[in-house]
Amino acid sequence: MIELRAVHRSYEADEARVDAVRGIDLTIDRGEFVAVIGPSGSGKSTVLNLMGALDQPTSGEVLLNGRPLAKCNRTELARIRGSAVGFVFQAFNLVPGITAAENVALPAVLLRKRPAEYRDEVARLLDLVGLSAKADRLPGQLSGGEQQRVAFARALVMDPPILLADEPTGNLDTTAGEAIIDLLEASHNAGRTIVLVTHDMRLASRAQRIVHLRDGEITHITCPPSGRDRRLEEILEVGEPERR
Ligand code: ADP
């Protein structure tokens, strides 16, 4: 579904060259939940932006569903960014002057869909993220966690098969952050491919695979125990509460 082949991305900054990504090969299968972890500056955001066609590699290839992004014309790239991939960023990036519901509907409006085509989906997504009662509030009238839930709903409004999340909990407290990761997990259980960029190992361990980056390279890939195994470990560690 998402394939990176020998991908390099360098930036020219102040006459110096920064090699942000240095030869990454990675295949993410349809329906997988992958976390990308690494210290600040290790290239995580660059990798995510390349996957979502927000950026192009300096060399190497990025393929979505077997199609090289370099072969896509502007219209195809716009379609990919608009409806094949949903994005959630650390900064919620909501439009301040319009309501939560209007923010969720925005991708559909930009793709010139008729209200009848997205109205029900907007309502369903606001319900999913627990914000039906606050649909008419402006972003400034919502907490950080609520704003990120609006951004999450907005990312799903075109029902993209892929969801890319760049430090989506970075500006949130633990509880609000957990709520976002729960939503990512639910979205994965509903069949979406999820790529989560984080520097938080606890959050990354909710994924099926963790890609470890350092200095623009993959150092190793690990598979955390699945949720069910974790639950088993907890039971073995503390004993079943009901039986004690
Ligand atoms: P991370 O997400 O792991 O913090 P990034 O992908 O944002 O890492 O950045 C990787 C490296 O590339 C860093 O050294 C960063 O400073 C550099 N970089 C990222 N974007 C740009 C840019 N637009 N111009 C110049 N350097 C950049």
Side-chain angles (χ1 to χ4, degrees), residues 19-217:
D19 295 310
V21 171
R22 302 189 301 162
I24 285 191
D25 291 290
L26 179 66
T27 302
I28 295 176
D29 291 332
R30 185 187 303 269
E32 243 198 304
F33 180 5
V34 171
V36 179
I37 195 164
S40 179
S42 57
K44 305 183 295 295
S45 296
T46 305
V47 165
L48 204 73
N49 291 341
L50 290 165
M51 288 178 179
L54 296 181
D55 189 16
Q56 282 115 42
T58 313
S59 66
E61 270 194 317
V62 181
L63 298 91
L64 285 190
N65 292 325
R67 177 133 170 79
L69 292 181
K71 297 227 167 81
C72 295
N73 61 31
R74 282 167 61 108
T75 316
E76 286 173 294
L77 287 175
R79 195 193 55 75
I80 288 168
R81 294 184 201 112
S83 55
V85 182
F87 296 93
V88 185
F89 298 99
Q90 177 170 356
F92 319 127
N93 295 335
L94 299 179
V95 179
I98 60 176
T99 66
E102 288 164 343
N103 267 284
V104 175
L106 200 56
V109 173
L110 292 174
L111 288 170
R112 299 182 191 283
K113 304 283 178 199
R114 285 176 290 118
E117 291 176 83
Y118 58 78
R119 201 181 291 128
D120 291 351
E121 184 61 1
V122 169
R124 190 189 72 78
L125 287 167
L126 282 167
D127 183 48
L128 176 81
V129 302
L131 287 174
S132 297
K134 297 182 177 175
D136 294 329
R137 297 229 188 144
L138 297 174
Q141 299 168 320
L142 298 171
S143 71
E146 289 169 341
Q147 289 186 52
Q148 190 61 306
R149 274 146 55 201
V150 172
F152 181 87
R154 179 183 58 185
L156 294 190
V157 76
M158 295 311 300
D159 196 20
I162 300 173
L163 187 61
L164 303 178
D166 193 349
E167 298 276 9
T169 64
N171 284 332
L172 304 180
D173 62 37
T174 311
T175 313
E178 291 284 351
I180 293 296
I181 302 300
D182 288 346
L183 285 171
L184 284 181
E185 212 163 57
S187 196
H188 167 241
N189 290 335
R192 273 196 185 81
T193 307
I194 313 278
V195 185
L196 164 69
V197 157
T198 179
H199 60 267
D200 184 337
M201 193 57 194
R202 208 173 45 82
L203 296 179
S205 67
R206 302 272 292 266
Q208 293 168 308
R209 277 201 297 162
I210 306 179
V211 175
H212 299 255
L213 282 192
R214 180 169 287 275
D215 297 334
E217 291 178 312

